[in-house]
Amino acid sequence: MATILVVEDEIGERQMLALNLETAGHSVLQASEGCEALQILEHTNPDLILTDVLMPQMDGFAFCKSLKENPQTRHIPVIILTARGKMEDAFAALGVDGFLEKPSESTILLSTINTVLSQPKKDGQPRQSPQKFLIFGTYPEVCESMTSLLQSRGFLVQTAATASDILVHVVNFHPDIIILEVQLEDGRPLQDVIKAIRLFARH
């Protein structure tokens, strides 16, 4: 679980981002623009900052410039929302860690955050990232209950709808742990699926 500062002037967008992050088990701080965010950073040290570009008073570029010029905040990874083209190049020159289009699907948002948090810190030590679970079962209520429990503990969770879907998630999501129902819905042997998972996981 990470503490994430969301800087976004549109309250609806900010609350949606916060909801997605909190559902995934993260702790969220919120600011409406750069000046407010800097005030929050005077007494908190989040693991990551997610910031919009176009904001009143202090925009995203000025905010990131202030972050990188301050020895107390320059180490905090930053993901920029909606930066493109030359603007993206300017942010990259400041040393930001990632970019996301707005709005982004929850899975893309969480995947990007997980990737950034898994990168080495400035001191060379790896950041801790939440473990990823893949769940497959034929009883939706059981899968939903397990998903809710794991997410409340700060894990990232995806579910597979069919046995064939499992391999797609293995390739795209790279789960650390897979929870499988013994009886597959299409009757194929569980051993065959496990062999395929291990084969795909090597690539």
Side-chain angles (χ1 to χ4, degrees), residues 126-198:
R127 297 190 180 97
Q128 296 298 315
S129 58
Q131 281 190 305
K132 297 188 284 187
F133 282 76
L134 173 62
I135 299 174
F136 170 78
T138 56
Y139 296 94
E141 63 276 11
V142 174
C143 293
E144 290 172 6
S145 178
M146 294 176 66
T147 298
S148 178
L149 177 62
L150 289 168
Q151 288 180 336
S152 72
R153 299 294 189 273
F155 300 111
L156 300 179
V157 184
Q158 288 190 5
T159 58
T162 66
S164 299
D165 252 0
I166 295 171
L167 298 181
V168 176
H169 286 279
V170 167
V171 173
N172 295 328
F173 182 54
H174 303 293
D176 300 298
I177 298 173
I178 302 174
I179 301 175
L180 294 174
E181 187 175 340
V182 174
Q183 182 65 44
L184 300 179
E185 94 286 356
D186 58 4
R188 79 177 69 181
L190 182 63
Q191 293 86 345
D192 291 350
V193 175
I194 293 174
K195 287 179 182 178
I197 288 172
R198 287 175 174 165

Side-chain angles (χ1 to χ4, degrees), residues 56-176:
Q57 296 188 54
M58 178 181 281
D59 64 20
F61 188 83
F63 172 57
C64 288
K65 190 171 184 295
S66 295
L67 290 177
K68 298 306 178 181
E69 290 176 347
N70 186 342
Q72 302 301 317
T73 58
R74 66 174 56 165
H75 68 284
I76 304 174
V78 178
I79 295 176
I80 302 295
L81 294 167
T82 69
R84 297 181 181 179
K86 292 182 179 180
M87 186 180 292
E88 183 171 321
D89 292 339
F91 277 106
L94 285 178
V96 302
D97 300 84
F99 300 91
L100 276 170
E101 291 187 11
K102 189 174 69 171
S104 290
E105 293 184 6
S106 176
T107 52
I108 296 175
L109 169 70
L110 297 175
S111 176
T112 302
I113 287 173
N114 186 50
T115 297
V116 170
L117 289 175
S118 67
Q119 299 302 311
K121 290 182 178 179
K122 300 302 182 182
D123 59 9
Q125 297 300 316
R127 297 190 180 97
Q128 296 298 315
S129 58
Q131 281 190 305
K132 297 188 284 187
F133 282 76
L134 173 62
I135 299 174
F136 170 78
T138 56
Y139 296 94
E141 63 276 11
V142 174
C143 293
E144 290 172 6
S145 178
M146 294 176 66
T147 298
S148 178
L149 177 62
L150 289 168
Q151 288 180 336
S152 72
R153 299 294 189 273
F155 300 111
L156 300 179
V157 184
Q158 288 190 5
T159 58
T162 66
S164 299
D165 252 0
I166 295 171
L167 298 181
V168 176
H169 286 279
V170 167
V171 173
N172 295 328
F173 182 54
H174 303 293
D176 300 298

